[in-house]
Structure formats: structure tokens, C-alpha cells
Amino acid sequence: MNTLIINGSPRSNGHTATLLHALERRLSGTATVVDTYTARIAPCNDCRACWHTARCVIDDGMTAVYDAINAADTIVLASPVHFGELTGSLLQWASRLQVYWAARYRLNREPLTAKRRVGAVLLTAGSTGPFDTALATANRLLSVLHADARGHIVLPDTDDLSPADWRQNAALSAEINRLVDALTTP
């Protein structure tokens, strides 16, 4: 199984990263991780070149990500929730998916291989919610990537916890295992 993980967290060892590592350890196959804060991926600048070429003309780290998306069997989107939404960095990355819209609806071409992918969403937040907007956005992004959303985990109220506080949490571990099962079951 080839998994693409899009990590929208600014913290390399915070709650989102810890949750991602717990999931990644349980997945079989290979995993490619794109950290949207360090990947040097510019946002879409609405130049509309993709309306005519079915590719993005910005030459940066996203070029390799397009290949990783195409090769992925599983896509995981992970983000802290900031003001009820995915992080700005993840949304900036997502703006570059505009090339898929242009290919499909301007040029009548399918930009991705025909295989269906599966996907999941991991959200963390210092608050207790609401999370519906962030989850809806993430699920919409999975749809754009031709990935059927198989589930999500939301870890709320993390402001007063360290990742070590919940790392050994049996209920969370069981939830991660259920999500892995959902991702790996045909």
C-alpha cells in the first residue's frame, strides 16, 4: 500500500504529528509525508495556465506531490484546527489542486489515474469544537483527489495535554486501529 500523508501542522512533535506517527506505524507499505509548512509549495496564483495545459506552471515542491497523489492508494490529511478550519498552510497547499479542477472541467480530461483511492482525516484542536467545517473541507479535498473518505479521528481539547499524556490512551489506540482497518479493507 502506498500512502500519501499531507501534514498541515506547524509543530513537528505536537499532537497532530504524534497522532500521524501512531497511524503511520500501523499502516503497511510505504508512506510519503508532505509537511505543508516546510515543503516550499507556493499557493495558486490564479494565472489560469492550467486552463490550457492541464498542468501547473509553478515550478516548486508541488510537482513531486502531484506524482505522489497519482501513485497513492491511500491519502491521509492531518491538521490542527485553527478557528474552526484546517491550517492556512494546508489550505495554501490545497489551492494548488486547482489544476485538477481545470483539467476536469475546462479541458474535459481526467488528471488522475483511474484507480480509486481511500482516505482519512486526522484533526487535533485545543478547543472542544466545532470541527464540522474543517472536517467538511478535508473530506472535500479527499473527493477532489478521488479518495473515498473511510473515516476520521478528532482529538479535541489538547491545550492542557502533552502528546505523551494521550500516547498510551487505549481508547485512542483502538480508534487508530479501527481507522487503519477501514483504510486497508477493500
mmCIF file of all heavy atoms in Angstrom, residues 85-121:
data_model
loop_
_atom_site.group_PDB
_atom_site.id
_atom_site.type_symbol
_atom_site.label_atom_id
_atom_site.label_comp_id
_atom_site.label_asym_id
_atom_site.label_seq_id
_atom_site.Cartn_x
_atom_site.Cartn_y
_atom_site.Cartn_z
ATOM 1 N N GLU A 85 -11.144 25.733 11.246
ATOM 2 C CA GLU A 85 -10.784 25.316 9.894
ATOM 3 C C GLU A 85 -9.399 24.676 9.894
ATOM 4 O O GLU A 85 -8.643 24.776 10.855
ATOM 5 C CB GLU A 85 -10.823 26.545 8.976
ATOM 6 C CG GLU A 85 -10.603 26.292 7.499
ATOM 7 C CD GLU A 85 -11.523 25.262 6.883
ATOM 8 O OE1 GLU A 85 -11.220 24.050 7.009
ATOM 9 O OE2 GLU A 85 -12.524 25.639 6.259
ATOM 10 N N LEU A 86 -9.072 24.008 8.776
ATOM 11 C CA LEU A 86 -7.733 23.475 8.575
ATOM 12 C C LEU A 86 -6.732 24.620 8.618
ATOM 13 O O LEU A 86 -7.103 25.778 8.398
ATOM 14 C CB LEU A 86 -7.648 22.759 7.215
ATOM 15 C CG LEU A 86 -8.655 21.641 6.962
ATOM 16 C CD1 LEU A 86 -8.521 21.126 5.533
ATOM 17 C CD2 LEU A 86 -8.487 20.517 7.959
ATOM 18 N N THR A 87 -5.466 24.323 8.842
ATOM 19 C CA THR A 87 -4.470 25.388 8.917
ATOM 20 C C THR A 87 -4.326 26.099 7.574
ATOM 21 O O THR A 87 -4.573 25.526 6.512
ATOM 22 C CB THR A 87 -3.091 24.830 9.324
ATOM 23 O OG1 THR A 87 -2.665 23.882 8.349
ATOM 24 C CG2 THR A 87 -3.107 24.234 10.714
ATOM 25 N N GLY A 88 -3.880 27.340 7.651
ATOM 26 C CA GLY A 88 -3.650 28.120 6.437
ATOM 27 C C GLY A 88 -2.651 27.458 5.517
ATOM 28 O O GLY A 88 -2.784 27.494 4.291
ATOM 29 N N SER A 89 -1.645 26.828 6.085
ATOM 30 C CA SER A 89 -0.627 26.154 5.283
ATOM 31 C C SER A 89 -1.227 25.005 4.476
ATOM 32 O O SER A 89 -0.912 24.826 3.299
ATOM 33 C CB SER A 89 0.484 25.628 6.201
ATOM 34 O OG SER A 89 1.413 24.877 5.477
ATOM 35 N N LEU A 90 -2.107 24.223 5.094
ATOM 36 C CA LEU A 90 -2.731 23.119 4.366
ATOM 37 C C LEU A 90 -3.674 23.663 3.291
ATOM 38 O O LEU A 90 -3.713 23.153 2.168
ATOM 39 C CB LEU A 90 -3.475 22.181 5.321
ATOM 40 C CG LEU A 90 -3.789 20.832 4.685
ATOM 41 C CD1 LEU A 90 -3.586 19.708 5.697
ATOM 42 C CD2 LEU A 90 -5.179 20.784 4.139
ATOM 43 N N LEU A 91 -4.390 24.722 3.610
ATOM 44 C CA LEU A 91 -5.288 25.322 2.614
ATOM 45 C C LEU A 91 -4.498 25.936 1.462
ATOM 46 O O LEU A 91 -4.927 25.874 0.307
ATOM 47 C CB LEU A 91 -6.194 26.360 3.267
ATOM 48 C CG LEU A 91 -7.206 25.795 4.270
ATOM 49 C CD1 LEU A 91 -7.922 26.926 4.994
ATOM 50 C CD2 LEU A 91 -8.193 24.866 3.580
ATOM 51 N N GLN A 92 -3.349 26.517 1.768
ATOM 52 C CA GLN A 92 -2.483 27.047 0.708
ATOM 53 C C GLN A 92 -2.045 25.913 -0.212
ATOM 54 O O GLN A 92 -2.086 26.040 -1.435
ATOM 55 C CB GLN A 92 -1.263 27.725 1.326
ATOM 56 C CG GLN A 92 -0.253 28.211 0.306
ATOM 57 C CD GLN A 92 0.877 28.973 0.965
ATOM 58 O OE1 GLN A 92 0.629 29.993 1.587
ATOM 59 N NE2 GLN A 92 2.097 28.471 0.824
ATOM 60 N N TRP A 93 -1.629 24.780 0.368
ATOM 61 C CA TRP A 93 -1.269 23.595 -0.418
ATOM 62 C C TRP A 93 -2.464 23.170 -1.276
ATOM 63 O O TRP A 93 -2.325 22.901 -2.467
ATOM 64 C CB TRP A 93 -0.825 22.458 0.513
ATOM 65 C CG TRP A 93 -0.718 21.155 -0.175
ATOM 66 C CD1 TRP A 93 0.361 20.689 -0.876
ATOM 67 C CD2 TRP A 93 -1.725 20.148 -0.285
ATOM 68 N NE1 TRP A 93 0.077 19.457 -1.412
ATOM 69 C CE2 TRP A 93 -1.204 19.108 -1.058
ATOM 70 C CE3 TRP A 93 -3.036 20.032 0.193
ATOM 71 C CZ2 TRP A 93 -1.922 17.958 -1.363
ATOM 72 C CZ3 TRP A 93 -3.764 18.893 -0.110
ATOM 73 C CH2 TRP A 93 -3.201 17.874 -0.877
ATOM 74 N N ALA A 94 -3.634 23.131 -0.660
ATOM 75 C CA ALA A 94 -4.833 22.666 -1.361
ATOM 76 C C ALA A 94 -5.195 23.563 -2.540
ATOM 77 O O ALA A 94 -5.775 23.092 -3.520
ATOM 78 C CB ALA A 94 -6.005 22.578 -0.387
ATOM 79 N N SER A 95 -4.833 24.831 -2.482
ATOM 80 C CA SER A 95 -5.153 25.729 -3.601
ATOM 81 C C SER A 95 -4.503 25.250 -4.897
ATOM 82 O O SER A 95 -5.008 25.512 -5.987
ATOM 83 C CB SER A 95 -4.733 27.171 -3.288
ATOM 84 O OG SER A 95 -3.335 27.340 -3.344
ATOM 85 N N ARG A 96 -3.425 24.509 -4.769
ATOM 86 C CA ARG A 96 -2.723 24.004 -5.958
ATOM 87 C C ARG A 96 -3.450 22.811 -6.584
ATOM 88 O O ARG A 96 -3.078 22.354 -7.664
ATOM 89 C CB ARG A 96 -1.292 23.649 -5.610
ATOM 90 C CG ARG A 96 -0.450 24.857 -5.213
ATOM 91 C CD ARG A 96 -0.137 25.768 -6.399
ATOM 92 N NE ARG A 96 0.740 25.121 -7.344
ATOM 93 C CZ ARG A 96 2.045 24.942 -7.162
ATOM 94 N NH1 ARG A 96 2.646 25.420 -6.072
ATOM 95 N NH2 ARG A 96 2.766 24.325 -8.074
ATOM 96 N N LEU A 97 -4.491 22.323 -5.956
ATOM 97 C CA LEU A 97 -5.309 21.271 -6.559
ATOM 98 C C LEU A 97 -6.231 21.849 -7.627
ATOM 99 O O LEU A 97 -6.945 21.112 -8.309
ATOM 100 C CB LEU A 97 -6.111 20.525 -5.484
ATOM 101 C CG LEU A 97 -5.266 19.863 -4.398
ATOM 102 C CD1 LEU A 97 -6.168 19.183 -3.372
ATOM 103 C CD2 LEU A 97 -4.265 18.880 -4.982
ATOM 104 N N GLN A 98 -6.189 23.163 -7.799
ATOM 105 C CA GLN A 98 -6.957 23.833 -8.843
ATOM 106 C C GLN A 98 -6.662 23.232 -10.222
ATOM 107 O O GLN A 98 -7.520 23.199 -11.093
ATOM 108 C CB GLN A 98 -6.631 25.337 -8.837
ATOM 109 C CG GLN A 98 -7.340 26.141 -9.889
ATOM 110 C CD GLN A 98 -8.831 26.266 -9.625
ATOM 111 O OE1 GLN A 98 -9.324 25.936 -8.555
ATOM 112 N NE2 GLN A 98 -9.561 26.726 -10.606
ATOM 113 N N VAL A 99 -5.455 22.732 -10.401
ATOM 114 C CA VAL A 99 -5.071 22.134 -11.676
ATOM 115 C C VAL A 99 -5.973 20.930 -12.010
ATOM 116 O O VAL A 99 -6.274 20.685 -13.180
ATOM 117 C CB VAL A 99 -3.569 21.752 -11.684
ATOM 118 C CG1 VAL A 99 -3.269 20.582 -10.778
ATOM 119 C CG2 VAL A 99 -3.087 21.496 -13.087
ATOM 120 N N TYR A 100 -6.427 20.208 -10.983
ATOM 121 C CA TYR A 100 -7.326 19.070 -11.228
ATOM 122 C C TYR A 100 -8.700 19.557 -11.682
ATOM 123 O O TYR A 100 -9.320 18.978 -12.572
ATOM 124 C CB TYR A 100 -7.462 18.200 -9.980
ATOM 125 C CG TYR A 100 -6.173 17.509 -9.594
ATOM 126 C CD1 TYR A 100 -5.896 17.232 -8.281
ATOM 127 C CD2 TYR A 100 -5.234 17.123 -10.543
ATOM 128 C CE1 TYR A 100 -4.723 16.583 -7.909
ATOM 129 C CE2 TYR A 100 -4.063 16.478 -10.194
ATOM 130 C CZ TYR A 100 -3.814 16.214 -8.871
ATOM 131 O OH TYR A 100 -2.663 15.577 -8.517
ATOM 132 N N TRP A 101 -9.188 20.630 -11.058
ATOM 133 C CA TRP A 101 -10.462 21.196 -11.482
ATOM 134 C C TRP A 101 -10.373 21.652 -12.938
ATOM 135 O O TRP A 101 -11.267 21.374 -13.741
ATOM 136 C CB TRP A 101 -10.841 22.382 -10.587
ATOM 137 C CG TRP A 101 -12.124 23.033 -11.031
ATOM 138 C CD1 TRP A 101 -13.387 22.711 -10.643
ATOM 139 C CD2 TRP A 101 -12.248 24.094 -11.985
ATOM 140 N NE1 TRP A 101 -14.291 23.510 -11.305
ATOM 141 C CE2 TRP A 101 -13.615 24.369 -12.132
ATOM 142 C CE3 TRP A 101 -11.332 24.832 -12.732
ATOM 143 C CZ2 TRP A 101 -14.105 25.357 -12.980
ATOM 144 C CZ3 TRP A 101 -11.817 25.818 -13.587
ATOM 145 C CH2 TRP A 101 -13.193 26.076 -13.702
ATOM 146 N N ALA A 102 -9.303 22.349 -13.276
ATOM 147 C CA ALA A 102 -9.147 22.857 -14.638
ATOM 148 C C ALA A 102 -9.102 21.723 -15.650
ATOM 149 O O ALA A 102 -9.723 21.804 -16.713
ATOM 150 C CB ALA A 102 -7.892 23.719 -14.741
ATOM 151 N N ALA A 103 -8.383 20.664 -15.326
ATOM 152 C CA ALA A 103 -8.303 19.534 -16.256
ATOM 153 C C ALA A 103 -9.682 18.917 -16.459
ATOM 154 O O ALA A 103 -10.078 18.633 -17.596
ATOM 155 C CB ALA A 103 -7.322 18.490 -15.741
ATOM 156 N N ARG A 104 -10.412 18.721 -15.361
ATOM 157 C CA ARG A 104 -11.719 18.056 -15.452
ATOM 158 C C ARG A 104 -12.772 18.923 -16.134
ATOM 159 O O ARG A 104 -13.544 18.421 -16.959
ATOM 160 C CB ARG A 104 -12.202 17.676 -14.052
ATOM 161 C CG ARG A 104 -11.454 16.532 -13.464
ATOM 162 C CD ARG A 104 -12.014 16.149 -12.085
ATOM 163 N NE ARG A 104 -11.176 15.115 -11.515
ATOM 164 C CZ ARG A 104 -10.535 15.218 -10.355
ATOM 165 N NH1 ARG A 104 -10.688 16.286 -9.606
ATOM 166 N NH2 ARG A 104 -9.780 14.236 -9.925
ATOM 167 N N TYR A 105 -12.849 20.188 -15.747
ATOM 168 C CA TYR A 105 -13.990 20.998 -16.152
ATOM 169 C C TYR A 105 -13.703 22.009 -17.251
ATOM 170 O O TYR A 105 -14.628 22.505 -17.882
ATOM 171 C CB TYR A 105 -14.592 21.688 -14.921
ATOM 172 C CG TYR A 105 -15.034 20.670 -13.905
ATOM 173 C CD1 TYR A 105 -14.343 20.494 -12.718
ATOM 174 C CD2 TYR A 105 -16.119 19.834 -14.162
ATOM 175 C CE1 TYR A 105 -14.731 19.533 -11.795
ATOM 176 C CE2 TYR A 105 -16.513 18.865 -13.256
ATOM 177 C CZ TYR A 105 -15.809 18.726 -12.074
ATOM 178 O OH TYR A 105 -16.195 17.768 -11.174
ATOM 179 N N ARG A 106 -12.465 22.314 -17.504
ATOM 180 C CA ARG A 106 -12.124 23.204 -18.615
ATOM 181 C C ARG A 106 -11.654 22.420 -19.837
ATOM 182 O O ARG A 106 -11.931 22.799 -20.962
ATOM 183 C CB ARG A 106 -11.022 24.203 -18.220
ATOM 184 C CG ARG A 106 -11.333 25.123 -17.068
ATOM 185 C CD ARG A 106 -12.281 26.203 -17.386
ATOM 186 N NE ARG A 106 -11.796 27.047 -18.463
ATOM 187 C CZ ARG A 106 -12.404 28.122 -18.884
ATOM 188 N NH1 ARG A 106 -13.505 28.521 -18.304
ATOM 189 N NH2 ARG A 106 -11.936 28.823 -19.881
ATOM 190 N N LEU A 107 -10.911 21.327 -19.581
ATOM 191 C CA LEU A 107 -10.303 20.572 -20.679
ATOM 192 C C LEU A 107 -10.921 19.187 -20.886
ATOM 193 O O LEU A 107 -10.513 18.456 -21.773
ATOM 194 C CB LEU A 107 -8.797 20.437 -20.434
ATOM 195 C CG LEU A 107 -8.049 21.763 -20.326
ATOM 196 C CD1 LEU A 107 -6.612 21.543 -19.891
ATOM 197 C CD2 LEU A 107 -8.102 22.505 -21.647
ATOM 198 N N ASN A 108 -11.880 18.835 -20.038
ATOM 199 C CA ASN A 108 -12.562 17.532 -20.131
ATOM 200 C C ASN A 108 -11.583 16.363 -20.119
ATOM 201 O O ASN A 108 -11.715 15.415 -20.895
ATOM 202 C CB ASN A 108 -13.456 17.475 -21.367
ATOM 203 C CG ASN A 108 -14.583 18.469 -21.277
ATOM 204 O OD1 ASN A 108 -15.231 18.594 -20.250
ATOM 205 N ND2 ASN A 108 -14.797 19.202 -22.355
ATOM 206 N N ARG A 109 -10.579 16.439 -19.252
ATOM 207 C CA ARG A 109 -9.599 15.369 -19.078
ATOM 208 C C ARG A 109 -9.568 14.965 -17.620
ATOM 209 O O ARG A 109 -9.702 15.812 -16.738
ATOM 210 C CB ARG A 109 -8.189 15.849 -19.428
ATOM 211 C CG ARG A 109 -7.965 16.170 -20.855
ATOM 212 C CD ARG A 109 -6.486 16.459 -21.044
ATOM 213 N NE ARG A 109 -6.311 17.484 -22.042
ATOM 214 C CZ ARG A 109 -5.216 18.185 -22.203
ATOM 215 N NH1 ARG A 109 -4.173 17.994 -21.426
ATOM 216 N NH2 ARG A 109 -5.127 19.095 -23.143
ATOM 217 N N GLU A 110 -9.340 13.703 -17.387
ATOM 218 C CA GLU A 110 -9.155 13.249 -16.013
ATOM 219 C C GLU A 110 -7.664 13.288 -15.697
ATOM 220 O O GLU A 110 -6.891 12.574 -16.323
ATOM 221 C CB GLU A 110 -9.714 11.837 -15.817
ATOM 222 C CG GLU A 110 -9.541 11.312 -14.418
ATOM 223 C CD GLU A 110 -10.005 12.273 -13.332
ATOM 224 O OE1 GLU A 110 -11.146 12.774 -13.394
ATOM 225 O OE2 GLU A 110 -9.191 12.554 -12.420
ATOM 226 N N PRO A 111 -7.263 14.101 -14.729
ATOM 227 C CA PRO A 111 -5.830 14.267 -14.460
ATOM 228 C C PRO A 111 -5.205 13.141 -13.633
ATOM 229 O O PRO A 111 -3.997 13.014 -13.587
ATOM 230 C CB PRO A 111 -5.778 15.580 -13.684
ATOM 231 C CG PRO A 111 -7.105 15.650 -13.003
ATOM 232 C CD PRO A 111 -8.075 15.011 -13.946
ATOM 233 N N LEU A 112 -6.020 12.327 -12.989
ATOM 234 C CA LEU A 112 -5.508 11.255 -12.133
ATOM 235 C C LEU A 112 -5.748 9.898 -12.766
ATOM 236 O O LEU A 112 -6.686 9.724 -13.545
ATOM 237 C CB LEU A 112 -6.183 11.306 -10.762
ATOM 238 C CG LEU A 112 -5.896 12.552 -9.935
ATOM 239 C CD1 LEU A 112 -6.811 12.604 -8.721
ATOM 240 C CD2 LEU A 112 -4.448 12.575 -9.506
ATOM 241 N N THR A 113 -4.920 8.933 -12.386
ATOM 242 C CA THR A 113 -5.153 7.571 -12.856
ATOM 243 C C THR A 113 -6.533 7.124 -12.396
ATOM 244 O O THR A 113 -7.074 7.630 -11.412
ATOM 245 C CB THR A 113 -4.082 6.609 -12.313
ATOM 246 O OG1 THR A 113 -4.067 6.691 -10.889
ATOM 247 C CG2 THR A 113 -2.715 6.922 -12.891
ATOM 248 N N ALA A 114 -7.103 6.174 -13.086
ATOM 249 C CA ALA A 114 -8.480 5.769 -12.865
ATOM 250 C C ALA A 114 -8.719 5.064 -11.526
ATOM 251 O O ALA A 114 -9.848 4.947 -11.105
ATOM 252 C CB ALA A 114 -8.942 4.871 -14.010
ATOM 253 N N LYS A 115 -7.688 4.600 -10.859
ATOM 254 C CA LYS A 115 -7.907 3.866 -9.611
ATOM 255 C C LYS A 115 -8.558 4.752 -8.554
ATOM 256 O O LYS A 115 -8.330 5.959 -8.504
ATOM 257 C CB LYS A 115 -6.600 3.297 -9.071
ATOM 258 C CG LYS A 115 -5.639 4.333 -8.517
ATOM 259 C CD LYS A 115 -4.401 3.663 -7.956
ATOM 260 C CE LYS A 115 -3.381 4.685 -7.512
ATOM 261 N NZ LYS A 115 -2.194 4.059 -6.977
ATOM 262 N N ARG A 116 -9.390 4.137 -7.744
ATOM 263 C CA ARG A 116 -9.973 4.853 -6.618
ATOM 264 C C ARG A 116 -9.031 4.736 -5.442
ATOM 265 O O ARG A 116 -8.430 3.698 -5.201
ATOM 266 C CB ARG A 116 -11.333 4.274 -6.227
ATOM 267 C CG ARG A 116 -12.461 4.651 -7.152
ATOM 268 C CD ARG A 116 -12.647 6.121 -7.328
ATOM 269 N NE ARG A 116 -13.250 6.779 -6.180
ATOM 270 C CZ ARG A 116 -13.581 8.059 -6.162
ATOM 271 N NH1 ARG A 116 -13.390 8.809 -7.212
ATOM 272 N NH2 ARG A 116 -14.115 8.597 -5.104
ATOM 273 N N ARG A 117 -8.904 5.808 -4.737
ATOM 274 C CA ARG A 117 -8.072 5.845 -3.552
ATOM 275 C C ARG A 117 -8.980 5.854 -2.326
ATOM 276 O O ARG A 117 -10.164 6.147 -2.443
ATOM 277 C CB ARG A 117 -7.210 7.117 -3.572
ATOM 278 C CG ARG A 117 -6.207 7.129 -4.707
ATOM 279 C CD ARG A 117 -5.829 8.555 -5.127
ATOM 280 N NE ARG A 117 -4.978 8.528 -6.300
ATOM 281 C CZ ARG A 117 -5.423 8.427 -7.547
ATOM 282 N NH1 ARG A 117 -6.703 8.362 -7.800
ATOM 283 N NH2 ARG A 117 -4.571 8.388 -8.559
ATOM 284 N N VAL A 118 -8.409 5.557 -1.179
ATOM 285 C CA VAL A 118 -9.137 5.694 0.071
ATOM 286 C C VAL A 118 -8.441 6.769 0.888
ATOM 287 O O VAL A 118 -7.253 7.041 0.691
ATOM 288 C CB VAL A 118 -9.235 4.368 0.855
ATOM 289 C CG1 VAL A 118 -10.060 3.347 0.073
ATOM 290 C CG2 VAL A 118 -7.866 3.815 1.194
ATOM 291 N N GLY A 119 -9.187 7.382 1.785
ATOM 292 C CA GLY A 119 -8.607 8.467 2.548
ATOM 293 C C GLY A 119 -9.133 8.539 3.961
ATOM 294 O O GLY A 119 -10.138 7.919 4.306
ATOM 295 N N ALA A 120 -8.423 9.310 4.769
ATOM 296 C CA ALA A 120 -8.806 9.544 6.150
ATOM 297 C C ALA A 120 -8.379 10.944 6.555
ATOM 298 O O ALA A 120 -7.510 11.554 5.931
ATOM 299 C CB ALA A 120 -8.154 8.513 7.065
ATOM 300 N N VAL A 121 -8.983 11.418 7.632
ATOM 301 C CA VAL A 121 -8.707 12.753 8.140
ATOM 302 C C VAL A 121 -8.357 12.642 9.615
ATOM 303 O O VAL A 121 -9.048 11.950 10.374
ATOM 304 C CB VAL A 121 -9.935 13.682 7.963
ATOM 305 C CG1 VAL A 121 -9.684 15.054 8.556
ATOM 306 C CG2 VAL A 121 -10.337 13.777 6.501
#
